[in-house]
């Protein structure tokens, strides 16, 4: 089976390519390299000893996408490509809506014209807003989403669901990630943010290698045991494996000629009428919440280093506590996160110390 991975040169995409190749899929990556480096894909091939096809193109370039689908028969798409900086999206809403939404509309339109109707979409726990319940199940109502970035995720979930409603042959897998951190155990691929990192662990890693002086912790007066925010950190390799499991479930639901797939039970938006397709929603998290201070202490212990930090005022839009109920993915995908917080911290540091300037050298 040949899988198109949009945004496959990026952080989660590159780790997913490793797992896809390991599971025997053929992989075609499309990426405009807006936030990544082709070197990541070279290293994916080095790690796996397997080849993949890379097409440098923008999802907004419909002609390039069309040519890609003509040249490479694709069975399903895993769609990572998008802009993802929450803060930046607040002052660049047009760029975020255009890139993430128009890009996805173009992708789906080209997929449709080539008869490809299976898509796994990178959504986010951000769609729960300030969550109505902890731990967060998939049935938790979507809350008020705090940023244009997050709203693109909420809107795209709706758009993809509408696509299935209009044509029940579509298979739509919505994966809501919690907080991916860590890196491949080889230290060869990892997160390589451009500029100052927006997220906690990349920032900590850059402090650890002396690139940044000190970590700022936003808020220590939250209603949590140590006053800092609590999140559900998940190792990026566990997340990548979750995609392979989700893809397997979704593609298993494609009926053989004349048969009705029974494997779609548990999907939402499915009915007798649309037995060939479905819309599925899964949280990909560990089900455990750790505070910012827990992460810093785990990082220090795992790597035997000190991380200097200071407290700063709260940051707008941060919810105090956010962690998943991960039982649905366990029960229906047979997937559980296996890496510990120490594993995540050790692997992040290994990547950062071996590649202090990321893929630049
Ligand atoms: N990392 C997280 O914390 C997190 C959490 C929840 C959801 N997500 C989502 O997961 C996906 C992958 O995230 P990531 O952390 O790997 O980000 P990333 O920036 O490392 O990867 C995204 C990739 O998409 C590419 N891209 C962006 N716009 C494109 C376009 N128009 N055409 C072609 N390529 C384009 C970028 O060059 C990059 O390689 C994103 O959709 C993101 O919103 C990430």
């Amino acid at each position: 089976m040949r899988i198109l991975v949009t945004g496959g040169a990026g952080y989660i995409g590159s780790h997913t390519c490793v797992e896809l190749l390991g599971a025997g899929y053929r992989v075609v990556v499309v990426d405009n390299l807006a936030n990544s480096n082709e070197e990541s894909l070279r290293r994916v091939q080095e790690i796996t000893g397997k080849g993949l096809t890379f097409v440098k193109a923008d999802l907004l370039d419909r002609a390039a996408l069309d040519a890609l689908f003509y040249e490479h028969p694709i069975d399903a798409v895993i769609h990572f490509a998008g802009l993802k900086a929450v803060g930046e999206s607040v002052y660049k809403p047009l760029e975020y809506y255009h890139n993430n939404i128009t890009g996805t509309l173009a992708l789906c339109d080209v997929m449709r014209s080539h008869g490809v109707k299976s898509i796994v979409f990178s959504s986010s726990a951000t769609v729960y807003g300030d969550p109505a319940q902890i731990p967060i199940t998939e049935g938790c109502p979507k809350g008020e989403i705090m940023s244009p970035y997050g709203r693109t995720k909420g809107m795209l979930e709706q758009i993809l669901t509408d696509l299935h409603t209009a044509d029940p042959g579509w298979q739509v897998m919505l994966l809501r990630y919690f907080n991916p951190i860590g890196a491949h155990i080889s230290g060869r691929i990892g997160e390589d943010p451009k500029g100052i990192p927006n997220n906690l662990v990349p920032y900590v890693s850059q402090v650890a290698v002396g690139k940044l002086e000190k970590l700022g912790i936003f808020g220590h007066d939250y209603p949590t045991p140590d006053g800092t925010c609590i999140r559900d950190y998940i190792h990026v390799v566990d997340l990548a494996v979750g995609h392979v499991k989700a893809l397997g479930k979704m593609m298993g639901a494609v009926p053989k000629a004349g048969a009705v797939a029974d494997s779609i039970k548990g999907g939402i938006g499915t009915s007798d009428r649309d037995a060939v397709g479905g819309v599925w929603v899964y949280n990909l998290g560990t089900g455990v919440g750790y505070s910012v201070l827990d992460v810093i202490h785990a990082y220090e212990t795992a790597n035997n280093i000190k991380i200097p930090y200071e407290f700063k005022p709260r940051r707008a839009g941060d919810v105090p506590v956010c962690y998943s109920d991960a039982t649905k993915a366990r029960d229906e995908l047979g997937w559980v996160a296996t890496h510990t917080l120490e594993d995540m911290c050790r692997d992040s540091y290994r990547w950062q110390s071996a590649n202090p300037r990321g893929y630049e050298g």
Side-chain angles (χ1 to χ4, degrees):
M1 221 179 255
R2 191 179 274 109
I3 309 302
L4 176 64
V5 183
T6 77
Y11 172 46
I12 306 171
S14 55
H15 289 81
T16 302
C17 288
V18 168
E19 299 306 321
L20 286 169
L21 290 168
Y25 290 98
R26 292 193 205 177
V27 171
V28 178
V29 168
V30 61
D31 200 302
N32 64 2
L33 304 180
N35 195 39
S36 52
N37 190 312
E38 197 178 339
E39 173 65 12
S40 67
L41 295 174
R42 202 190 62 69
R43 296 189 186 183
V44 165
Q45 296 174 87
E46 169 200 297
I47 290 168
T48 59
K50 295 187 178 176
L52 58 72
T53 304
F54 174 53
V55 177
K56 183 175 179 220
D58 196 303
L59 290 190
L60 295 162
D61 182 349
R62 192 182 286 255
L65 274 188
D66 203 36
L68 183 158
F69 276 81
Y70 270 118
E71 202 168 323
H72 307 282
I74 300 294
D75 295 290
V77 175
I78 304 184
H79 179 32
F80 293 108
L83 298 174
K84 65 159 183 179
V86 173
E88 184 185 61
S89 76
V90 175
Y91 54 88
K92 288 187 172 173
L94 285 183
E95 285 79 358
Y96 272 69
Y97 286 122
H98 186 51
N99 189 76
N100 293 5
I101 296 196
T102 317
T104 304
L105 295 179
L107 171 69
C108 291
D109 195 26
V110 173
M111 286 172 66
R112 178 174 62 173
S113 70
H114 289 267
V116 181
K117 296 183 181 177
S118 301
I119 186 166
V120 177
F121 175 62
S122 299
S123 189
S124 165
T126 188
V127 299
Y128 295 114
D130 191 354
Q133 64 184 68
I134 295 287
I136 305 171
T137 62
E138 290 80 354
C140 179
K142 286 199 213 167
E144 188 200 336
I145 305 179
M146 310 287 194
S147 69
Y149 161 73
R151 283 190 275 277
T152 68
K153 296 296 179 194
M155 288 177 195
L156 286 168
E157 283 199 358
Q158 188 61 56
I159 288 169
L160 293 170
T161 304
D162 291 345
L163 204 51
H164 167 77
T165 304
D167 175 353
W170 276 84
Q171 311 201 88
V172 174
M173 179 64 73
L174 305 174
L175 299 181
R176 294 178 180 158
Y177 312 157
F178 281 69
N179 292 68
I181 60 172
H184 191 266
I185 193 162
S186 64
R188 297 294 288 154
I189 57 172
E191 186 165 11
D192 180 21
K194 293 204 173 21
I196 303 287
N198 292 301
N199 294 331
L200 174 63
V201 172
Y203 204 108
V204 170
S205 296
Q206 295 201 5
V207 172
V209 297
K211 238 180 121 178
L212 294 169
E213 196 190 326
K214 193 188 272 188
L215 172 74
I217 298 178
F218 299 111
H220 66 299
D221 55 353
Y222 284 102
T224 61
D226 66 21
T228 64
C229 288
I230 290 179
R231 294 289 178 272
D232 184 339
Y233 295 95
I234 175 168
H235 197 293
V236 65
V237 171
D238 282 328
L239 190 65
V241 170
H243 285 74
V244 177
K245 296 271 188 188
L247 180 71
K249 178 177 175 85
M250 185 176 79
M251 299 314 279
V254 175
K256 310 278 177 292
V260 173
D262 58 3
S263 53
I264 59 168
K265 286 183 195 133
I268 61 160
T270 56
S271 69
D272 291 341
R273 184 175 67 84
D274 56 25
V276 295
V279 179
W280 296 265
V281 183
Y282 293 104
N283 287 338
L284 294 183
T286 62
V288 181
Y290 288 105
S291 74
V292 175
L293 289 174
D294 289 335
V295 173
I296 294 170
H297 296 146
Y299 203 99
E300 292 181 328
T301 308
N303 301 306
N304 199 19
I305 43 172
K306 265 323 242 183
I307 302 293
Y309 62 81
E310 63 185 345
F311 291 113
K312 292 191 166 173
R314 289 183 182 195
R315 200 169 52 173
D318 279 341
V319 301
V321 180
C322 176
Y323 62 91
S324 68
D325 180 321
T327 47
K328 189 176 176 214
R330 182 197 64 199
D331 293 349
E332 296 184 14
L333 300 178
W335 172 85
V336 280
T338 59
H339 292 80
T340 64
L341 183 60
E342 283 221 350
D343 296 335
M344 304 181 214
C345 293
R346 193 198 53 231
D347 292 344
S348 290
Y349 184 59
R350 184 185 298 110
W351 152 255
Q352 189 70 61
S353 45
N355 305 271
R357 296 178 57 237
Y359 291 112
E360 299 289 320

